[in-house]
Amino acid sequence: MKTFGGEITIGGDLKVRRLGYGAMRITGKGVWGEPKDHAGAVALIRHVVESGVNFIDTANSYGPNVSEEIIAEALAPYGDDVVIATKAGLTREGPDRWTPNGHPDYLRREAEGSLKRLKLDRIDLFQLHRIDPAVPVAESMGALTDLQKAGKIRHIGVSETSVAELKEAQKYATIVSVQNMFNVEDRSAEPVLKECERQGLAFLPWFPLGGRGTPKHEALNTIAAAHKATPTQIAIAWLLERSPAIVPIPGTSSVGHFDENIEAGDIKLTAAEMSALA
């Protein structure tokens, strides 16, 4: 029986399993356009939920729009316990090209678009993908709180913020989650994680495996061999053990890789192994 690293409640009412799924990779190369195997992507998303994962993270910029549309094709109407998180705040000009856009009109328009693409009446978790340096945080957050008051989004999250930026955003909105890059190799977001722990916020690490391919931390191979696991599985297990606030969202376009990833929820690392990875 899979444990998914246990459960966490986001925002006081969204109870999800701690191993989620990041849906960036069900798009084309450079997170642009349709995937090579559309039917396979739909089947993967269905497999994700059938396997017990009930938290899926996406964004309007993935494709753009493609990831949200595939999720809806696969899952709508959604099961009662399935939580879909999406994001707005980046525009796309081409493969691997991302530009911040935190203008209120844009955020409102993209929230409406996400509702239609995802076939939802309300988005459970709507995240500001990036703080736009050209737009006051008060204006961006104001647009999201207006959407929340209108019943179009349930909770608000932020992504790629510092502790100072998080606290600034909290002047204008109730924030329930932060999504920053964090993994066994790159721990630069440690201060933000600690602040999330202090406040009881969920911390959603993107790039949870440390970048493309197998993580390079030298202790991973030794620990993986001891558990008869892969270094990637140990990297995920490390995140789950590192903090109860962490909800890893590893993404993949492969059913086999997905199955391998969620098996990491059953791996229990010892204090000595955590120390070796520190």
Side-chain angles (χ1 to χ4, degrees), residues 18 182-183 205 208 234-243 246 248:
R18 284 185 61 214
F182 187 77
N183 53 64
I234 300 303
I236 297 172
W238 177 82
L239 285 167
L240 291 167
E241 186 67 27
R242 172 62 189 78
S243 170
I246 288 179

Side-chain angles (χ1 to χ4, degrees), residues 102-122:
H103 289 279
D105 288 345
Y106 172 75
L107 297 177
R108 283 190 285 265
R109 184 170 66 250
E110 288 308 317
E112 296 285 358
S114 290
L115 284 165
K116 291 178 182 178
R117 288 186 291 272
L118 288 166
K119 298 181 181 178
L120 288 168
D121 295 323
R122 180 177 65 176

Side-chain angles (χ1 to χ4, degrees), residues 160-179:
E160 277 306 284
T161 59
S162 65
V163 172
E165 289 169 333
L166 168 61
K167 291 182 176 180
E168 178 69 13
Q170 289 177 313
K171 294 178 182 178
Y172 312 103
T174 299
I175 306 299
V176 304
S177 67
V178 178
Q179 185 169 155

Side-chain angles (χ1 to χ4, degrees), residues 11-255:
D13 58 0
L14 294 177
K15 191 173 184 179
V16 300
R17 296 176 187 100
R18 284 185 61 214
L19 256 178
Y21 173 76
M24 185 172 72
R25 294 299 171 194
I26 56 169
T27 60
K29 187 177 180 180
V31 199
W32 184 259
E34 283 280 339
K36 289 182 179 180
D37 182 2
H38 182 96
V42 172
L44 170 61
I45 295 300
R46 289 178 179 155
H47 178 75
V48 165
V49 172
E50 289 165 357
S51 298
V53 168
N54 67 339
F55 181 72
I56 297 176
D57 178 83
T58 185
N60 72 307
S61 56
Y62 297 166
N65 306 335
V66 172
S67 178
E68 292 182 331
E69 291 168 350
I70 288 174
I71 289 168
E73 182 179 346
L75 301 180
Y78 301 86
D80 291 340
D81 70 334
V82 174
V83 173
I84 305 295
T86 193
K87 298 179 284 293
L90 290 176
T91 59
R92 302 296 308 280
E93 293 77 36
D96 291 319
R97 295 177 64 190
W98 314 75
T99 303
N101 186 343
H103 289 279
D105 288 345
Y106 172 75
L107 297 177
R108 283 190 285 265
R109 184 170 66 250
E110 288 308 317
E112 296 285 358
S114 290
L115 284 165
K116 291 178 182 178
R117 288 186 291 272
L118 288 166
K119 298 181 181 178
L120 288 168
D121 295 323
R122 180 177 65 176
I123 296 167
D124 283 326
L125 177 59
F126 194 76
Q127 305 157 92
L128 181 61
H129 211 152
R130 291 292 186 278
I131 289 177
D132 185 347
V135 179
V137 172
E139 294 183 13
S140 298
M141 288 293 112
L144 301 191
T145 55
D146 287 345
L147 289 162
Q148 190 175 45
K149 291 173 184 176
K152 295 182 178 182
I153 61 177
R154 189 172 187 171
H155 292 296
I156 298 169
V158 291
S159 178
E160 277 306 284
T161 59
S162 65
V163 172
E165 289 169 333
L166 168 61
K167 291 182 176 180
E168 178 69 13
Q170 289 177 313
K171 294 178 182 178
Y172 312 103
T174 299
I175 306 299
V176 304
S177 67
V178 178
Q179 185 169 155
N180 277 25
M181 183 167 73
F182 187 77
N183 53 64
V184 72
E185 294 179 357
D186 186 334
R187 308 179 196 189
S188 56
E190 188 84 34
V192 181
L193 171 59
K194 289 181 178 178
E195 185 64 23
C196 287
E197 291 173 334
R198 188 183 73 79
Q199 294 194 34
L201 309 180
F203 184 87
L204 316 177
W206 65 271
F207 253 11
L209 305 184
R212 303 181 189 280
T214 302
K216 306 300 189 296
H217 194 295
E218 61 184 25
L220 285 171
N221 289 328
T222 300
I223 296 171
H227 287 270
K228 297 182 180 179
T230 67
T232 292
Q233 288 173 321
I234 300 303
I236 297 172
W238 177 82
L239 285 167
L240 291 167
E241 186 67 27
R242 172 62 189 78
S243 170
I246 288 179
V247 184
I249 46 172
T252 179
S253 59
S254 161
V255 168

